[in-house]
Amino acid sequence: MDLTQAMLAATANPPPTGIDVDQLITGERRRTRRLHAVTGVAVAAALAAGMVALPQLLPQKPSGQSPGLAPPSTATRATRSPAACVTPSPTVNVPPGGKETVQPRPVVPVTESCGAAIARLSDVLTALLPGLVPGATFTNARDGSPLPANVERSGPPAIAYNAGFNVQNGVMSVKIEASEETPAQYRPFAREQCAIPEAHCRSATIGGAELLIRSSTEYGIDVWAVRPDGVLLLALTRSRTPGQPTPLTEQQLIDIVLDPALTMYP
Amino acid sequence: MSTEQAYRDYVAGNLDRLRRTAYLLCGDWHLADDLTSTVLVKLLRHWKRAAAMEHRDAYVRRMLMSAWLDERRRPWRRESSTDRLPDRTAAAADADRRLDVLSLLAGLPPRRRAVLVLRYFCDLSVEETAQALGCSEGTVKSQAARALESLRAGLEEGDPLWI
């Protein structure tokens, strides 16, 4: 007997098999169904997690930009608008009581899209600032790039945009916001603020707008304005060296906050 | 003919051969059934591709060899083979011969055992065996020679299994 015959003899009387083809096919179908179900659930969960996480992650992107980047062109500004337009979550943390949802309630509803508002306000500030302070050079505070102005979505909970600039020996910034108060509603608050003797402030009503102006040689000048068109503006300037004159004057800041082109409602 | 029916027909026609081959590889009918089941499930998953193959049997044989070698690599299967063969009785009964050949095969390393099973049980050529094991023809020849040498060492000249 050779090896082949010995092998055939060794396997001549196999016991009944326990393999059931129907069971194999059924089991494989079940496995495939489960795999599809698990994959579907995993994809849905990943999408849901992505949708939740994305709005929180994207606003961090601009801060990651390294200084000294090339000046953004108009086209660059247009492409950057979506990132600058990410609306921060209206949910704010109120320690220690957990979370509280705050919805913006502007006096006049905002209808303009974020991207359009950023492009428009950038153009307005780019045209306004050099004319306001002749001879001064404005650069964007975030990355040191020259004009055009980099305007970004601000908040929450308010619907607002802001832009900051380096100018001469200091800085200045402008914030444009959909006001939740009318000038009349804002007036008592402004008066109250200026009731404090050391507050270095005064309030005024100019052309229907209620202004709160705070100035000090120590910290600089802030000008708040709630205008009849439903816009709240803040223009402020600081000197880099305490005690030195600020790069913009109080009147120049008042001119900025009263400029009708700086609005949420074009 | 539906895909499923074609699979069923193929399994019905080859199940016995697969089980026997697996049994010679592992020496245990339960484990042989497990190996065969593993191969059949894999075949079912890839049936569309396998059905179009010209050498489907070779493909299935290769899957069986992979399943067997994978099984041997599992941590709980790592047994050390010894050079001492089990005691054999001088009687030449069929049952004893069956035990003998299985004992002799069990004493071989998995790859050499696979070479012998493919060459002498499945009646494959050196080239086909090399393809089934994914190695060169020279390796098959050397493994077969060493395997036969090991078998002869456990036999006496004139033994019915003397090759």
Side-chain angles (χ1 to χ4, degrees):
Chain A
M1 180 181 280
D2 64 8
L3 186 55
T4 303
Q5 288 173 322
M7 285 180 175
L8 288 171
T11 59
N13 299 307
T17 178
I19 298 172
D20 183 351
V21 179
D22 290 330
Q23 213 169 16
L24 283 183
I25 293 173
T26 309
E28 182 58 19
R29 277 188 193 145
R30 194 184 305 124
R31 190 194 74 91
T32 309
R33 271 200 306 273
R34 278 183 193 160
L35 188 66
H36 289 167
V38 169
T39 308
V41 169
V43 169
L47 284 174
M51 288 172 70
V52 170
L54 205 60
Q56 295 169 3
L57 293 176
L58 282 182
Q60 299 170 3
K61 206 172 177 181
S63 63
Q65 291 169 349
S66 57
L69 293 175
S73 64
T74 307
T76 308
R77 181 155 43 84
T79 55
R80 283 181 50 179
S81 291
C85 275
V86 172
T87 307
S89 168
T91 304
V92 295
N93 289 326
V94 184
K99 291 183 173 180
E100 177 180 296
T101 302
V102 182
Q103 294 294 335
R105 293 189 183 83
V107 175
V108 182
V110 178
T111 55
E112 188 181 29
S113 73
C114 174
I118 283 178
R120 178 179 57 78
L121 292 172
S122 175
D123 290 342
V124 171
L125 286 169
T126 303
L128 173 69
L129 295 177
L132 200 66
V133 190
T137 303
F138 287 83
T139 57
N140 289 294
R142 182 172 289 282
D143 56 9
S145 63
L147 297 177
N150 283 346
V151 179
E152 291 178 348
R153 177 80 160 84
S154 182
I159 302 168
Y161 302 95
N162 64 37
F165 305 93
N166 301 312
V167 51
Q168 292 175 327
N169 62 333
V171 294
M172 65 91 53
S173 76
V174 181
K175 182 176 181 182
I176 305 111
E177 182 177 323
S179 177
E180 298 179 13
E181 289 178 309
T182 62
Q185 289 169 328
Y186 183 70
R187 189 172 302 125
F189 171 78
R191 301 282 189 273
E192 186 183 336
Q193 290 296 304
C194 295
I196 304 169
E198 62 271 22
H200 307 287
C201 88
R202 66 186 177 92
S203 61
T205 305
I206 303 174
E210 193 64 32
L211 272 67
L212 172 61
I213 303 154
R214 301 173 63 177
S215 61
S216 162
T217 52
E218 295 172 8
Y219 60 80
I221 307 169
D222 295 357
V223 177
W224 297 80
V226 176
R227 301 193 320 212
D229 62 355
V231 179
L232 183 151
L233 278 113
L234 164 65
L236 63 85
T237 181
R238 301 279 186 272
S239 171
R240 291 193 193 281
T241 312
Q244 292 297 310
T246 53
L248 276 75
T249 64
E250 181 181 302
Q251 187 56 50
Q252 286 168 329
L253 295 181
I254 291 173
D255 290 344
I256 290 173
V257 298
L258 295 179
D259 190 315
L262 287 175
T263 179
M264 301 288 285
Y265 312 100
Chain B
M1 188 188 297
S2 71
T3 307
E4 190 179 305
Q5 188 56 44
Y7 173 77
R8 284 176 190 277
D9 290 349
Y10 180 82
V11 172
N14 293 275
L15 180 61
D16 190 51
R17 184 176 51 82
L18 279 172
R19 283 185 74 216
R20 287 166 192 260
T21 308
Y23 174 64
L24 284 174
L25 289 170
C26 65
D28 177 69
W29 282 109
H30 295 293
L31 182 54
D33 277 355
D34 287 347
L35 290 174
T36 308
S37 295
T38 303
V39 170
L40 292 180
V41 168
K42 285 183 182 173
L43 181 65
L44 178 59
R45 283 178 198 162
H46 306 289
W47 178 249
K48 281 184 183 171
R49 188 156 50 101
M53 283 181 178
E54 190 180 352
H55 304 292
R56 193 186 309 155
D57 289 345
Y59 176 65
V60 174
R61 257 196 311 269
R62 184 159 184 164
M63 281 202 290
L64 180 61
M65 292 302 139
S66 298
W68 158 239
L69 293 173
D70 287 349
E71 177 67 25
R72 289 296 304 174
R73 288 190 196 107
R74 294 187 196 283
W76 57 87
R77 298 281 181 201
R78 281 179 198 150
E79 301 167 357
S80 56
S81 55
T82 63
D83 56 355
R84 259 184 77 190
L85 293 172
D87 294 337
R88 296 186 297 110
T89 57
D94 284 348
D96 288 340
R97 279 198 198 114
R98 184 162 65 239
L99 286 176
D100 278 348
V101 74
L102 290 175
S103 302
L104 290 169
L105 286 173
L108 296 175
R111 277 193 165 268
R112 290 186 191 172
R113 199 182 319 174
V115 167
L116 287 191
V117 171
L118 290 173
R119 290 281 286 126
Y120 292 94
F121 181 73
C122 298
D123 201 22
L124 299 187
S125 65
V126 172
E127 185 187 355
E128 290 168 332
T129 305
Q131 284 178 353
L133 288 172
C135 62
S136 68
E137 294 178 23
T139 304
V140 170
K141 287 177 189 170
S142 64
Q143 295 271 23
R146 284 174 191 153
L148 291 174
E149 193 179 335
S150 299
L151 289 188
R152 281 193 198 103
L155 298 171
E156 293 173 4
E157 196 167 352
D159 191 288
L161 277 177
W162 183 263
I163 304 157

